[in-house]
Amino acid sequence: LSGSQVASAKMNYMSEIYSVVLGLILVGAFSNYLDMVTVVKTEAFALRGLHDFALNLRQPEGDRLAEQIRHYTRSVATEEWPLMKFGENSQKTQQELDQIFGGIARISDQRSVSLERLAQEVLTQRAIRVSSSFGDGDTLSRAF
């Protein structure tokens, strides 16, 4: 075989390997994207349920709790999501979530158990969302 045939065969082999590796990375990234969509939707639905439930509580506790939920949602969108690009989370968002739990603790009837469950779901989904952000070294190493 001539030198050009050997080089051509090597180049074809390397491009096939490169294509397979790139395909695997893309499939993994798309899978992570779909997982994150599910987490965000679950968190949003839990927040919506929590907010609707709060609006049906006696006043002024219900209005106060609903307002805390709106503050948390705004904080996620304006502060935490931009920070997640760098693998960080927002302390303000955590404080807003803590205030939601504090507001639920001040409600002293059996409905607080349902509120607590919804708030726990928000907390769980937030933890998954934050720990899966792009800046997380483990996430990047698993992708490669």
Side-chain angles (χ1 to χ4, degrees):
L1 293 175
S2 70
S4 65
Q5 288 176 326
V6 170
S8 177
K10 285 182 180 181
M11 288 301 290
N12 286 338
Y13 175 76
M14 288 186 337
S15 29
E16 287 175 13
I17 295 297
Y18 177 75
S19 298
V20 169
V21 169
L22 184 60
L24 290 173
I25 290 172
L26 290 175
V27 166
F30 187 67
S31 175
N32 287 344
Y33 167 77
L34 291 177
D35 290 345
M36 188 59 70
V37 166
T38 301
V39 167
V40 170
K41 283 184 179 182
T42 304
E43 182 180 11
F45 287 136
L47 281 168
R48 176 68 186 262
L50 194 58
H51 186 264
D52 290 347
F53 207 121
L55 290 176
N56 292 318
L57 293 173
R58 65 181 183 272
Q59 302 309 320
E61 291 93 356
D63 284 342
R64 220 175 300 138
L65 183 57
E67 184 64 25
Q68 289 168 338
I69 294 164
R70 287 190 293 271
H71 283 294
Y72 170 79
T73 304
R74 251 184 251 113
S75 180
V76 168
T78 61
E79 295 202 20
E80 191 154 68
W81 284 350
L83 289 172
M84 286 176 58
K85 288 186 257 184
F86 305 106
E88 297 178 17
N89 59 10
S90 166
Q91 289 302 315
K92 180 182 177 192
T93 303
Q94 181 60 51
Q95 291 168 351
E96 299 288 351
L97 188 56
D98 292 343
Q99 288 179 3
I100 291 171
F101 277 97
I104 292 170
R106 287 189 289 276
I107 298 168
S108 60
D109 59 25
Q110 69 267 20
R111 293 180 290 184
S112 66
V113 174
S114 297
L115 288 166
E116 182 87 22
R117 282 191 196 124
L118 286 168
Q120 285 292 339
E121 185 64 34
V122 171
L123 176 67
T124 301
Q125 297 307 315
R126 177 179 182 259
I128 294 168
R129 178 174 46 80
V130 168
S131 66
S132 299
S133 63
F134 286 112
D136 182 15
D138 289 341
T139 302
L140 289 177
S141 65
R142 281 195 309 261
F144 290 102

